[in-house]
Amino acid sequence: MKNKKIIIGLPLAALLGLALFAFASNRSVPLRVKAAFVKKFPQVKKVKWDKESDAEWEAEFKMNGMEYSANFLEDGTWKETEHEIEQKDIPDAVRATLDTELSGYEIEEAEISETVDGLTYEIEVEKGEQELEVSIDVHGKLIHKQVVDEEGEKDKD
């Protein structure tokens, strides 16, 4: 009987440890960041926080049935919100740029990125072994292009 208690207790202890870790990491998010998130997304109740860099936090959440991420600086300044879109939802102007500037590349993933400067489409494309990440504005202007290496790292092109 003693062995059964230990076997049952181990998974319970692991689950409790994970819950405490999630609670502790959520508590380390600066109050300014949390307040800025609530102000920008008041309808969102469940958020997963990650430290994106020394000065930036990323919130992952669902809104209107879609998965989103939003980035905030330590002082609460909102930087960007992103969510994936289907290929069929890529606007004609953006698709025309892909067809002319990146002929022969296949779309792997597409996202809408919103910043204080407006909306852009961030699209990962692939041709053979070469993978690129491009940003195109709503009017179809190619803003930037980066080569993605085998490890998923981005090199400026």
Side-chain angles (χ1 to χ4, degrees), residues 55-136:
E56 197 168 327
W57 287 86
E58 180 179 63
E60 294 178 347
F61 55 98
K62 283 192 175 184
M63 189 169 63
N64 302 323
M66 295 172 49
E67 292 185 19
Y68 281 76
S69 68
N71 291 47
F72 295 84
L73 297 180
E74 291 273 332
D75 67 1
T77 303
W78 169 75
K79 295 295 290 179
E80 175 184 44
T81 302
E82 295 179 326
H83 71 277
E84 281 191 44
I85 60 170
E86 300 284 330
Q87 286 190 30
K88 65 180 178 55
D89 296 326
I90 297 172
D92 291 340
V94 174
R95 190 167 297 281
T97 300
L98 291 169
D99 291 344
T100 57
E101 300 284 330
L102 298 160
S103 179
Y105 282 84
E106 291 186 29
I107 299 170
E108 297 295 314
E109 184 177 298
E111 296 179 331
I112 290 179
S113 172
E114 179 188 2
T115 66
V116 293
D117 297 327
L119 293 179
T120 58
Y121 291 82
E122 294 181 356
I123 302 172
E124 290 183 19
V125 294
E126 189 175 88
K127 183 179 186 180
E129 296 294 315
Q130 187 174 38
E131 188 174 330
L132 303 174
E133 185 176 284
V134 297
S135 292
I136 302 171

